[in-house]
């Protein structure tokens, strides 16, 4: 992993702002989720813009030029358009004209899914330099009249450059999982082939995400715990050796519950959910970048990523920095 970067839009939406939009309170949001504020993209700022900005920072740190990139994978549930892929739009924005490009949809688990796919291409020596991006403009699919969901999500992007370098460290292992029988816990009904956009679908608010909060919570804790333990088992690494544990930043209570179940010390857990809310596929990518840029992880340190999202999907990854 030769470099990471992230980007969040300038506008901040605080809990106090939300108090003026729906029937909620800073106290409720803080105690139930740990979230204090989230970043919201401008009207003319799209997922591809957020992703390209994060990518430029990762490329600069990895000292990679656009021409060097062989493949771009973008994990997102909020593409600029259903097609073409946001990866193609980012390829154009970066001038990475040699790169193949595609999007990957694994909701909040997308960044780990994308890292693992990138790693496979690197290990088979098909590609030398892969750009992995998690980018979301969730504000575009949040129902700003639904207090159950609108307080939880934010916009942002994170990126990583993976390269084939001798004696380099990076992704030691990645675990991916899914359970389609629980697809109804978190979904957006409108806009796909099942329910194309019509005046009725818009009036019925089907083009917004919907969630069963309590069930999502329980499943998130269990799935991240199982994935993390499997990843550590595969690498034969005890949790005590991990310098920094980066869980999907959806809810502080979920982070604390998973941390406790996997036997993590509080000082191992990385938390930035108070600043960004849940940014789905961008979440652990932004957190990884922050952990690196703030010196929380140093060369040689072990990092554990854990994710959970719609699908259901989940995953965990161990990285030697
Ligand atoms: C959504 C979540 C914060 C709700 O917390 P909770 O402790 O489960 O809350 P409850 O379901 O007990 O809701 C309690 C009450 O708060 C109300 N409520 C919901 N959102 C509210 C808000 N923003 N402000 C004030 N009250 C709110 C509910 O209507 C409910 O009222 P009722 O009891 O009168 O019906 C929590 O379930 C959660 O975080 N789930 C996981 C969500 C998630 O991370 N999903 C993404 C995974 S990738």
């Amino acid at each position: 992993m030769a470099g990471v970067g992230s980007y969040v839009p300038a506008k901040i939406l605080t809990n106090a702002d939300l108090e003026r939009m729906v029937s909620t309170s800073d106290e409720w949001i803080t105690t139930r989720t740990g979230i204090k504020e989230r970043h919201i993209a401008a009207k003319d700022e799209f997922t591809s813009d957020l992703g390209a900005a994060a990518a430029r920072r990762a490329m600069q740190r990895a000292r990679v030029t656009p021409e060097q990139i062989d493949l771009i994978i973008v994990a997102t549930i909020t593409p600029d358009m259903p097609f073409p892929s946001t990866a193609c739009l980012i390829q154009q924005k970066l001038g990475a004209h040699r790169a193949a490009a595609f999007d990957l949809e694994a909701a909040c688990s997308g960044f780990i899914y994308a890292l693992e796919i990138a790693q496979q291409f690197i290990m088979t020596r098909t590609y030398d330099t892969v750009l992995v991006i998690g980018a979301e403009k969730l504000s575009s699919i949040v129902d700003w009249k639904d207090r159950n969901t609108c307080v939880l999500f934010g916009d942002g992007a994170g990126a990583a450059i993976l390269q084939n370098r001798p004696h380099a460290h990076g992704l030691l292992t990645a675990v991916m999982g899914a359970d389609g029988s629980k697809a109804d816990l978190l979904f957006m009904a409108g806009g796909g082939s099942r329910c194309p956009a019509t005046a009725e679908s818009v009036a019925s608010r089907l083009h917004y995400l919907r969630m069963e909060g309590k069930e999502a919570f329980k499943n998130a804790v269990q799935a991240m715990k199982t994935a993390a333990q499997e990843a550590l088992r595969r690498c034969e690494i005890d949790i005590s050796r991990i310098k920094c544990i980066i869980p999907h930043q959806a809810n502080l209570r979920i982070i604390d519950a998973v941390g406790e179940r996997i036997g993590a010390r509080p000082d191992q857990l990385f938390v930035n959910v108070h600043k960004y809310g849940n940014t789905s596929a961008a979440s652990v990518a932004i957190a990884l970048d922050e952990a690196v840029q703030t010196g929380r992880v140093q060369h040689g340190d072990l990092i554990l990523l854990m994710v959970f999202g719609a699908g259901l999907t989940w995953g965990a990854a161990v990285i030697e920095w």
Side-chain angles (χ1 to χ4, degrees):
M1 210 176 273
V4 287
S6 65
Y7 173 83
V8 290
K11 185 184 165 192
I12 292 175
L13 186 74
T14 65
N15 290 350
D17 296 328
L18 283 162
E19 285 177 357
R20 290 187 282 276
M21 295 162 64
V22 287
S23 169
T24 190
S25 66
D26 173 49
E27 196 270 334
W28 192 97
I29 302 170
T30 305
T31 54
R32 302 289 175 124
T33 72
I35 300 167
K36 294 302 256 181
E37 56 190 37
R38 63 291 289 148
H39 289 247
I40 303 293
K43 265 207 168 71
D44 59 353
E45 193 176 29
F46 313 118
T47 297
S48 63
D49 298 308
L50 309 182
R56 284 189 193 101
R57 290 177 180 170
M59 289 161 61
Q60 193 184 8
R61 290 180 186 132
R63 297 197 181 87
V64 159
T65 62
E67 296 75 32
Q68 275 176 274
I69 299 171
D70 298 304
L71 173 66
I72 301 171
I73 309 174
V74 177
T76 187
I77 54 168
T78 48
D80 286 24
M81 300 175 261
F83 69 90
S85 70
T86 301
C88 283
L89 304 177
I90 290 178
Q91 184 230 40
Q92 165 68 12
K93 284 183 173 152
L94 297 178
H97 302 301
R98 280 187 51 249
F102 66 88
D103 286 2
L104 180 159
E105 212 275 66
C108 302
S109 308
F111 191 68
I112 285 186
Y113 270 62
L115 282 182
E116 172 68 346
I117 293 168
Q119 168 97 327
Q120 298 301 320
F121 279 114
I122 301 256
M123 288 192 337
T124 55
R125 302 197 172 248
T126 308
Y127 292 130
D128 185 70
T129 302
V130 183
L131 169 59
V132 170
I133 301 171
E136 302 284 9
K137 185 177 177 177
L138 293 175
S139 60
S140 66
I141 58 164
V142 160
D143 183 348
W144 292 103
K145 292 188 170 161
D146 176 15
R147 70 175 183 172
N148 290 295
T149 53
C150 75
V151 301
L152 302 175
F153 299 98
D155 301 336
I161 295 279
L162 275 76
Q163 277 194 313
N164 191 347
R165 285 189 187 164
H167 315 300
H169 295 302
L171 198 58
L172 300 184
T173 195
V175 171
M176 303 187 292
D179 179 1
S181 73
K182 292 180 176 163
D184 56 352
L185 290 189
L186 184 50
F187 63 95
M188 189 170 92
S193 60
R194 188 194 287 198
C195 177
T198 60
E200 290 75 35
S201 74
V202 172
S204 307
R205 309 185 83 72
L206 297 184
H207 301 272
Y208 296 120
L209 69 82
R210 294 280 173 249
M211 183 180 70
E212 295 291 334
K214 268 196 199 310
E215 277 306 304
F217 191 112
K218 278 190 264 172
N219 279 277
V221 173
Q222 184 56 37
M224 285 200 282
K225 174 192 158 200
T226 308
Q229 288 175 338
E230 173 61 13
L232 292 170
R233 191 194 62 74
R234 282 193 202 169
C235 309
E236 297 180 354
I237 288 172
D238 188 81
I239 184 94
S240 60
R241 285 181 53 208
I242 301 286
K243 179 71 192 304
C244 185
I245 300 172
I246 302 181
H248 175 47
Q249 306 284 313
N251 180 318
L252 186 57
R253 284 159 55 219
I254 296 179
I255 294 172
D256 287 342
V258 180
E260 200 186 304
R261 282 168 179 72
I262 62 174
R265 301 184 309 271
D267 66 284
Q268 288 174 294
L269 290 171
F270 188 90
V271 176
N272 66 8
V273 69
H274 52 289
K275 294 193 288 181
Y276 306 120
N278 182 348
T279 57
S280 190
S283 175
V284 290
I286 295 172
L288 175 62
D289 181 44
E290 279 198 3
V292 171
Q293 306 317 328
T294 57
R296 179 82 186 264
V297 294
Q298 306 283 343
H299 183 68
D301 283 343
L302 293 169
I303 305 167
L304 172 66
L305 303 184
M306 312 184 273
V307 291
F308 169 83
L312 299 180
T313 55
W314 57 84
V318 180
I319 295 167
E320 184 164 0
W321 191 250

